[in-house]
Amino acid sequence: RINNTDNIYNYYNVDPEKPVIILEGAIDSVFIENAIGCTGLKIPDERINKFPHRYYLLDKDEAGLSKSLELLNMHEYVFMWKKFLKSINLPCYHSTEKEDINALVMETKMQVPISFEKIKPFFTNNSLDRTHFVITTKTTERRYYESKSGKES
């Protein structure tokens, strides 16, 4: 069983004055400079909120995109996978079932650690960027919107 105080990897090794990248897993956080990894999507707000410059780079699966939209609604910075993959000439859907930074590095042989400056243009805290949070599969494309009214746009 994991203790709640131990569910953030690399917490004490990041520079809190620089942008801190928050990922879903410990392994993912190894590939990004100044990053921490949380165990899953239950992000412990009280410790994360101590970082003044938070950037969430969550997995590009349904749960990660849904959590990204939730964070975007709170004006937190979240990663736009669709825009990023287009910029490196990768289709939004590729061979990995669960898309995360680890899978991307493995597939593309991208040089690591990835600097914040390289991925900074792909973060947003503007709720008008909701269209970047689309799950694309070979047969279907669905948009996941979170709103208080529960309606899809």
Side-chain angles (χ1 to χ4, degrees), residues 81-138:
W81 275 103
K82 186 176 179 181
K83 185 176 178 181
F84 174 72
L85 292 173
K86 185 176 180 180
S87 78
I88 60 172
N89 297 317
L90 278 179
C92 288
Y93 179 86
H94 53 92
S95 64
T96 57
E97 178 80 19
K98 181 179 179 200
E99 298 178 21
D100 59 14
I101 203 70
N102 180 16
L104 180 73
V105 169
M106 298 294 280
E107 275 190 32
T108 63
K109 309 295 187 227
M110 187 176 284
Q111 186 174 351
V112 293
I114 300 167
S115 72
F116 176 70
E117 292 307 314
K118 182 171 181 155
I119 58 175
K120 182 179 179 180
F122 306 103
F123 284 96
T124 185
N125 69 345
N126 185 337
S127 61
L128 296 176
D129 284 324
R130 296 164 140 323
T131 57
H132 291 281
F133 299 91
V134 176
I135 294 178
T136 305
T137 65
K138 291 180 180 178

Side-chain angles (χ1 to χ4, degrees), residues 22-83:
I22 303 156
L23 297 108
E24 283 185 56
I27 293 174
D28 292 342
S29 68
V30 171
F31 298 110
I32 309 283
E33 289 179 356
N34 213 50
I36 60 172
C38 296
T39 53
L41 293 171
K42 293 184 177 154
I43 300 166
D45 297 350
E46 65 279 353
R47 288 184 290 158
I48 300 298
N49 287 337
K50 290 180 181 177
F51 299 121
H53 311 289
R54 295 179 302 276
Y55 292 82
Y56 293 86
L57 198 165
L58 304 179
D59 294 353
K60 189 185 175 283
D61 57 11
E62 184 175 344
L65 291 174
S66 180
K67 183 66 173 184
S68 292
L69 282 170
E70 182 183 319
L71 291 163
L72 186 63
N73 286 337
M74 297 185 309
H75 303 287
E76 294 284 353
Y77 283 94
V78 294
F79 192 72
M80 296 180 287
W81 275 103
K82 186 176 179 181
K83 185 176 178 181

